[in-house]
């Protein structure tokens, strides 16, 4: 979500799960499995490498940056961008990981799969949060895309030995 359109109280996007609700330990352990680091940013401090700014996660090299108020879906999305990249490309990443539709689709799919690895999150909650935040898919919802229209993303991940 763009910072100019941040959710207002009562907006469905205001109910998305935040990293502070689940803590940093489980996400850090998950990212470590892929050779990534999670860096906690102090409350109110700008998040380094954040494409959208405000509370959205950021990426620089092999590090994902997040605050307590960062949405879990944002942390997983940015981590997913780094995971789908070959490790030799990661050092060049700063803020914007790709302009490839294929990698973007794979990242969206992967963030949903990885949500199952975080206690208290899971794919059902993550897909609901993605819809509330404003992710858009041509079939109208994250779930419809994931279940009916993401064969290319799944194939991309499988070809690289990534969770799918």
């Amino acid at each position: 979500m763009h910072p100019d359109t941040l959710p207002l109280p009562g907006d469905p996007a205001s109910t998305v799960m935040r990293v502070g609700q689940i803590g940093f330990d489980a996400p850090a352990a998950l990212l470590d499995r892929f050779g990534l680091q999670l860096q906690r940013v102090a409350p109110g401090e700008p998040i380094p490498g954040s494409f959208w700014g405000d509370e959205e996660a950021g990426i620089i090299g092999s590090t994902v940056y997040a605050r307590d108020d960062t949405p879990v879906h944002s942390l997983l999305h940015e981590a997913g961008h780094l995971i789908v990249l070959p490790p030799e490309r990661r050092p060049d990443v700063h803020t914007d990981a790709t302009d490839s539709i294929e990698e973007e689709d794979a990242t969206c799919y992967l963030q949903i799969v990885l949500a199952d690895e975080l206690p208290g999150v899971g794919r059902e909650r993550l897909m609901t949060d993605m819809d509330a935040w404003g992710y858009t898919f041509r079939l109208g919802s994250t779930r419809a895309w994931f279940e009916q229209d993401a064969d290319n993303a799944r194939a991309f991940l499988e070809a690289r030995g990534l969770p799918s």
Side-chain angles (χ1 to χ4, degrees):
M1 177 166 285
H2 190 274
D4 291 341
T5 58
L6 288 175
L8 300 171
D11 182 331
S14 68
T15 64
V16 300
M17 186 172 283
R18 308 295 173 145
V19 178
Q21 293 174 264
I22 65 168
F24 280 74
D25 291 344
L30 175 61
L31 270 57
D32 185 62
R33 289 184 9 217
F34 296 97
L36 304 175
Q37 297 77 45
L38 177 59
Q39 178 67 49
R40 188 176 197 167
V41 177
E45 292 296 316
I47 298 176
S50 177
F51 185 82
W52 295 110
D54 199 55
E55 62 213 9
E56 297 275 7
I59 50 176
I60 300 174
S62 293
T63 302
V64 178
Y65 296 86
R67 294 189 311 229
D68 287 350
D69 64 339
T70 296
V72 172
H73 68 81
S74 177
L75 182 151
L76 290 174
H77 187 85
E78 296 308 322
H81 272 299
L82 295 177
I83 293 167
V84 304
L85 287 177
E88 64 272 10
R89 285 185 49 203
R90 292 177 185 169
D92 297 327
V93 172
H94 192 299
T95 308
D96 192 6
T98 187
D99 58 2
S100 161
I101 292 171
E102 186 177 48
E103 285 181 6
E104 185 68 32
D105 288 349
T107 296
C108 287
Y109 193 94
L110 182 59
Q111 78 187 84
I112 295 166
V113 172
L114 293 178
D116 286 341
E117 302 291 323
L118 296 177
V121 183
R123 67 182 62 192
E124 301 299 325
R125 174 61 191 254
L126 198 81
M127 288 189 281
T128 298
D129 285 359
M130 290 169 70
D131 288 341
W133 201 255
Y135 286 69
T136 57
F137 297 96
R138 68 177 164 219
L139 295 184
S141 74
T142 304
R143 174 186 294 289
W145 170 79
F146 184 80
E147 293 176 351
Q148 302 168 35
D149 194 33
D151 292 340
N152 63 329
R154 192 170 30 263
F156 180 99
L157 296 169
E158 288 170 359
R160 288 154 181 81
L162 295 168
S164 62

